[in-house]
């Protein structure tokens, strides 16, 4: 029953992540950087502390009592993840929800399992796996195989993206303004996003001591009731401040360069609905990790939880891609290529998940 609840929570989290960009499509008359940072303020600054406040009494005391070095490295991984989150928005913008999300999340899922092992190779810690462990154990070799399969899937998706670009030009079909399909730029930012977005998984691991403190305090008050569902909410506060730092600086630079600061007060645009939809997108985005933490507390397996979470996001994002008709104007051959690439990425996620299962 605990495992089933964990899967359900991960599905809800995956649905939130795979759906968060949809409200942004209802924003009218604003530049990308304007609605992205408005939504981001809810994702990274407003909602996380509110969620922690509602679920973890004294969460600020836990943060204050945590070693400064742990807080710093957790924050730094949040900054790196923030670059990944920033380029995620650009990847979806230039490749569409379906193709962009598949490439980014496929890379994110496998690198999320690799980044910690590389770090611990150079900074060993008892109970933590190194890259050498991956290379010399059957379960680790399975994880590496999953990475290879993911790369193959990325190549297939990249080929499909080029074919889509060619199909659109031949048919004269003009993509939706909010999609702005650009295969070269889209692939570049998506690969960067996929690699750096995986830093969130390591940020959770780096700041695990805060979650453990919250878990211990809750269990002391609620004995024999299992693990605390919301223990990760305190860690998210620190990680997401790092993400806010990256995205805020970049969006302000874009506002200055593109002269779009006026978006926030431009009465010629539907200001109220723009703020509401941006806030909805940002809040929905945060809910992915709110439910991720609940799912991980039930499954008790960080790496496999991460893989399951990513798999659900890929499936949900691609379902939205079909609903939004992102494949309109392409040939059956291109559609087959795209579907094949996505399925290979999903397969890679499952292989990595199986590798982590073997480790248990």
């Amino acid at each position: 029953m605990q495992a089933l609840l964990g899967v359900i929570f991960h599905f809800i989290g995956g649905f939130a992540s795979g759906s968060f960009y949809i409200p942004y499509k209802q924003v009218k008359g604003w530049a990308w950087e304007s609605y992205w940072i408005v939504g981001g303020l809810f994702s990274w600054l407003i909602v996380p502390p509110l969620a922690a406040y509602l679920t973890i009494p004294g969460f600020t005391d836990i943060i204050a009592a945590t070693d400064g070095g742990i807080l710093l490295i957790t924050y730094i991984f949040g900054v790196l993840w923030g670059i990944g989150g920033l380029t995620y928005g650009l990847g979806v913008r230039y490749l569409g929800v379906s193709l962009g999300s598949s490439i980014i999340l496929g890379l994110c899922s496998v690198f999320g399992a690799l980044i910690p092992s590389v770090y611990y190779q150079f900074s060993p810690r008892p109970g933590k796996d190194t890259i050498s462990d991956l290379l010399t154990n059957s379960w680790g070799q399975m994880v590496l195989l999953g990475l290879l399969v993911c790369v193959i899937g990325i190549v297939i998706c990249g080929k499909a993206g080029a074919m889509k670009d060619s199909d659109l030009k031949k048919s004269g079909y003009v993509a939706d303004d909010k999609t702005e399909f650009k295969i070269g730029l889209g692939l570049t930012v998506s690969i960067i996003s996929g690699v750096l977005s995986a830093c969130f998984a390591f940020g959770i691991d780096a700041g695990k001591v805060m979650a453990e403190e919250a878990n211990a305090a809750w269990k002391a008050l609620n004995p024999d009731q299992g693990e605390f569902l919301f223990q990760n909410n305190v860690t998210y506060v620190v990680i997401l401040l790092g993400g806010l730092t990256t995205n805020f600086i970049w969006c302000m630079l874009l506002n200055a360069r593109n002269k779009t600061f006026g978006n926030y007060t431009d009465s010629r645009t539907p200001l109220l609905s723009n703020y509401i939809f941006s806030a909805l997108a940002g809040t929905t985005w945060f809910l992915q990790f709110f439910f991720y933490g609940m799912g991980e507390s039930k499954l008790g397996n960080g790496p496999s939880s991460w893989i399951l979470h990513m798999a659900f996001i890929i499936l949900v994002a691609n379902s939205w891609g079909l609903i939004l008709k992102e494949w309109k104007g392409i040939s059956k051959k291109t559609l087959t290529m795209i579907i094949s690439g996505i399925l290979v990425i999903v397969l890679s996620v499952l292989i990595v998940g199986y590798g982590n299962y073997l480790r248990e």
Side-chain angles (χ1 to χ4, degrees):
M1 185 61 183
Q2 296 297 311
L4 178 60
L5 282 175
V7 172
I8 292 173
F9 288 143
H10 279 307
F11 173 76
I12 297 174
F15 183 83
S17 180
S19 306
F20 90 94
Y21 205 84
I22 306 305
Y24 281 138
K25 291 181 174 291
Q26 302 304 315
V27 175
K28 309 296 182 184
W30 279 10
W32 176 87
E33 58 269 18
S34 300
Y35 63 73
W36 184 255
I37 195 57
V38 170
L41 288 174
F42 282 84
S43 300
W44 310 308
L45 183 64
I46 298 173
V47 180
L50 178 61
Y53 173 78
L54 293 174
T55 57
I56 304 176
F59 80 94
T60 54
D61 295 332
I62 294 176
I63 294 175
T66 302
D67 179 77
I70 292 176
L71 292 177
L72 179 60
I73 193 170
T74 303
Y75 172 81
I76 289 174
F77 275 97
V79 170
L80 293 174
W81 163 82
I83 298 174
L86 173 66
T87 47
Y88 183 100
L90 292 173
V92 171
R93 176 183 179 185
Y94 293 128
L95 295 181
V97 174
S98 183
L99 181 59
S101 294
S102 295
I103 292 175
I104 293 168
L105 297 172
L107 283 169
C108 184
S109 62
V110 291
F111 278 100
L114 285 181
I115 287 177
S117 65
V118 173
Y119 172 80
Y120 290 124
Q121 181 73 39
F122 298 99
S123 181
R125 189 182 302 177
K128 299 297 184 179
D129 300 311
T130 66
I131 192 67
S132 296
D133 295 326
L134 293 179
L135 292 169
T136 56
N137 291 281
S138 58
W139 65 268
Q141 292 165 2
M142 187 64 66
V143 169
L144 295 176
L145 174 62
L147 174 60
L148 176 61
V149 173
C150 181
V151 172
I152 294 173
I154 298 302
V155 172
I156 295 174
C157 282
K159 173 63 176 177
M163 292 170 65
K164 176 182 178 181
D165 191 30
S166 177
D167 287 346
L168 294 180
K169 290 178 180 177
K170 289 180 181 178
S171 65
Y173 175 74
V174 179
D176 183 90
D177 288 339
K178 293 194 185 311
T179 301
E180 301 178 65
F181 185 76
K182 298 178 182 178
I183 180 62
L185 183 58
L187 282 175
T188 300
V189 296
S190 292
I191 291 171
I192 293 172
S193 177
V195 174
L196 293 182
S197 291
C199 289
F200 198 100
F202 190 44
I204 293 175
D205 188 56
K208 198 66 177 177
V209 64
M210 290 181 280
E212 291 171 346
E213 182 66 26
N215 189 41
W218 182 86
K219 292 174 75 172
L221 295 174
N222 302 272
D224 303 321
Q225 293 191 34
E227 302 298 312
F228 184 32
L229 279 176
F230 308 111
Q231 58 183 275
N232 281 331
N233 284 354
V234 63
T235 311
Y236 295 156
V237 173
V238 180
I239 299 175
L240 294 176
L241 281 177
L244 172 65
T245 302
T246 305
N247 283 266
F248 185 80
I249 292 174
W250 179 243
C251 287
M252 291 302 99
L253 288 174
L254 287 181
N255 276 147
R257 188 185 72 181
N258 299 330
K259 297 181 173 59
T260 51
F261 278 114
N263 286 165
Y264 306 114
T265 57
D266 190 350
S267 59
R268 294 171 297 177
T269 64
L271 284 175
L272 180 60
S273 65
N274 280 359
Y275 277 107
I276 290 175
F277 281 119
S278 295
L280 178 60
T283 302
T284 301
W285 182 93
F286 172 76
L287 289 177
Q288 67 167 308
F289 289 116
F290 184 83
F291 285 100
Y292 171 84
M294 295 171 67
E296 186 184 30
S297 72
K298 290 296 183 182
L299 292 180
N301 187 322
S304 292
S305 281
W306 183 254
I307 296 299
L308 187 60
H309 182 70
M310 292 295 115
F312 279 134
I313 298 174
I314 291 173
L315 294 176
V316 171
N318 280 288
S319 297
W320 277 117
L322 293 174
I323 293 172
L324 296 173
K325 299 180 180 179
E326 291 183 344
W327 308 127
K328 183 178 179 180
I330 66 173
S331 66
K332 290 184 178 179
K333 182 178 179 180
T334 300
L335 181 60
T336 299
M337 182 70 75
I338 289 173
I339 292 175
S340 298
I342 291 169
L343 289 177
V344 171
I345 290 175
V346 172
L347 175 62
S348 75
V349 171
L350 296 177
I351 291 173
V352 173
Y354 179 64
N356 281 292
Y357 169 77
L358 292 177
R359 182 184 180 279
E360 297 302 305

